[in-house]
Coordinates of all heavy atoms in Angstrom, one line a residue:
S125 N -80.5 -18.6 -61.8 CA -80.9 -19.9 -61.6 C -80.5 -20.7 -62.8 O -80.8 -22.0 -63.0 CB -82.4 -20.0 -61.4 OG -83.1 -19.4 -62.5
K127 N -78.4 -22.7 -65.8 CA -77.2 -23.5 -65.7 C -76.4 -23.6 -67.0 O -75.2 -24.1 -67.1 CB -77.8 -25.0 -65.7 CG -78.5 -25.2 -64.3 CD -79.5 -26.3 -64.2 CE -80.8 -25.7 -64.6 NZ -82.0 -26.5 -64.5
A152 N -79.1 -21.3 -56.8 CA -80.4 -21.8 -57.4 C -80.2 -22.7 -58.7 O -81.0 -23.4 -59.1 CB -81.3 -20.7 -57.8
S153 N -78.9 -22.6 -59.2 CA -78.7 -23.4 -60.4 C -78.5 -24.9 -60.1 O -78.7 -25.8 -61.0 CB -77.4 -22.9 -61.1 OG -76.3 -23.1 -60.3
V154 N -78.2 -25.3 -58.9 CA -78.1 -26.7 -58.5 C -79.0 -26.9 -57.4 O -78.8 -26.5 -56.2 CB -76.7 -27.0 -58.0 CG1 -76.5 -28.5 -57.7 CG2 -75.8 -26.8 -59.3
G155 N -79.9 -27.9 -57.6 CA -80.6 -28.4 -56.4 C -81.9 -27.6 -55.9 O -82.3 -27.8 -54.9
G156 N -82.2 -26.6 -56.7 CA -83.5 -25.8 -56.2 C -83.2 -25.2 -54.8 O -82.2 -24.5 -54.5
L180 N -79.5 -35.1 -58.5 CA -79.4 -33.7 -58.8 C -80.5 -33.3 -59.8 O -80.5 -32.1 -60.3 CB -78.1 -33.2 -59.3 CG -76.9 -33.4 -58.5 CD1 -75.7 -33.0 -59.1 CD2 -77.0 -32.8 -57.1
N181 N -81.5 -34.0 -60.0 CA -82.6 -33.7 -60.9 C -83.9 -34.2 -60.3 O -84.2 -35.4 -60.1 CB -82.4 -34.4 -62.3 CG -83.5 -34.0 -63.3 OD1 -84.5 -34.6 -63.4 ND2 -83.3 -32.9 -64.0
G182 N -84.9 -33.2 -60.1 CA -86.1 -33.5 -59.5 C -87.1 -34.3 -60.4 O -87.9 -35.1 -60.0
T183 N -87.1 -33.8 -61.6 CA -88.0 -34.4 -62.6 C -87.8 -35.9 -62.8 O -88.7 -36.7 -62.6 CB -87.8 -33.8 -64.0 OG1 -88.2 -32.3 -63.8 CG2 -88.9 -34.3 -65.0
T184 N -86.6 -36.3 -62.9 CA -86.4 -37.8 -63.1 C -86.5 -38.6 -61.8 O -87.0 -39.7 -61.8 CB -85.0 -38.1 -63.6 OG1 -84.1 -37.3 -62.8 CG2 -84.7 -37.7 -65.0
I210 N -91.9 -28.6 -62.9 CA -90.6 -28.8 -62.4 C -89.7 -29.3 -63.6 O -88.4 -29.1 -63.5 CB -90.6 -30.1 -61.3 CG1 -91.2 -31.3 -61.9 CG2 -91.2 -29.6 -60.0 CD1 -91.0 -32.5 -60.9
A211 N -90.3 -29.7 -64.7 CA -89.5 -30.1 -65.7 C -88.9 -28.9 -66.6 O -89.5 -27.8 -66.4 CB -90.2 -31.0 -66.8
E212 N -87.7 -29.1 -67.3 CA -87.4 -28.0 -68.1 C -88.2 -27.7 -69.2 O -89.1 -28.5 -69.5 CB -85.9 -28.4 -68.6 CG -84.8 -28.6 -67.6 CD -84.4 -27.3 -66.8 OE1 -84.1 -26.4 -67.3 OE2 -84.7 -27.3 -65.5
D218 N -84.1 -33.1 -68.9 CA -84.2 -33.8 -67.7 C -83.9 -35.4 -68.0 O -83.1 -35.8 -67.3 CB -85.7 -33.6 -67.1 CG -85.8 -32.2 -66.6 OD1 -85.3 -31.7 -65.7 OD2 -86.7 -31.5 -67.3
D223 N -79.7 -32.0 -67.8 CA -79.8 -31.1 -66.7 C -78.9 -31.5 -65.4 O -78.1 -30.7 -65.0 CB -81.3 -31.0 -66.1 CG -81.5 -30.3 -64.9 OD1 -81.6 -28.9 -65.0 OD2 -81.5 -30.9 -63.8
K227 N -75.5 -29.5 -63.7 CA -75.2 -29.4 -62.4 C -73.9 -30.0 -61.9 O -73.3 -29.5 -61.0 CB -76.5 -29.8 -61.5 CG -77.7 -29.0 -61.8 CD -78.9 -29.8 -61.3 CE -80.2 -29.0 -61.6 NZ -81.4 -29.8 -61.4
N299 N -84.1 -33.7 -54.1 CA -82.7 -33.9 -54.5 C -81.9 -34.3 -53.2 O -82.4 -33.9 -52.1 CB -82.0 -32.6 -55.1 CG -82.4 -32.3 -56.4 OD1 -81.8 -31.5 -57.1 ND2 -83.5 -33.0 -57.0
G317 N -85.7 -30.2 -55.1 CA -84.8 -29.8 -56.1 C -85.3 -29.0 -57.2 O -84.6 -28.5 -58.1
A318 N -86.7 -28.7 -57.2 CA -87.2 -28.0 -58.3 C -88.5 -27.3 -57.8 O -89.0 -27.7 -56.6 CB -87.6 -28.8 -59.5
G319 N -89.1 -26.4 -58.5 CA -90.3 -25.8 -58.1 C -90.2 -24.2 -58.0 O -89.1 -23.8 -57.9
T323 N -87.1 -22.8 -55.8 CA -86.0 -22.3 -56.5 C -85.8 -20.7 -56.2 O -84.7 -20.3 -56.0 CB -86.2 -22.4 -58.1 OG1 -86.4 -23.9 -58.3 CG2 -84.9 -22.0 -58.7
Ligands
HSE401 N1 -85.8 -29.5 -64.3 C1 -84.9 -29.3 -63.1 C2 -85.2 -30.5 -62.2 C3 -85.3 -28.1 -62.4 O1 -86.2 -31.3 -62.5 O2 -84.4 -30.7 -61.2 C4 -84.4 -27.6 -61.4 O3 -83.1 -27.3 -61.9

Side-chain angles (χ1 to χ4, degrees):
S125 57
K127 291 152 275 190
S153 65
V154 180
L180 300 181
N181 181 268
T183 302
T184 47
I210 57 172
E212 294 300 296
D218 296 291
D223 174 79
K227 292 164 179 168
N299 281 196
T323 307

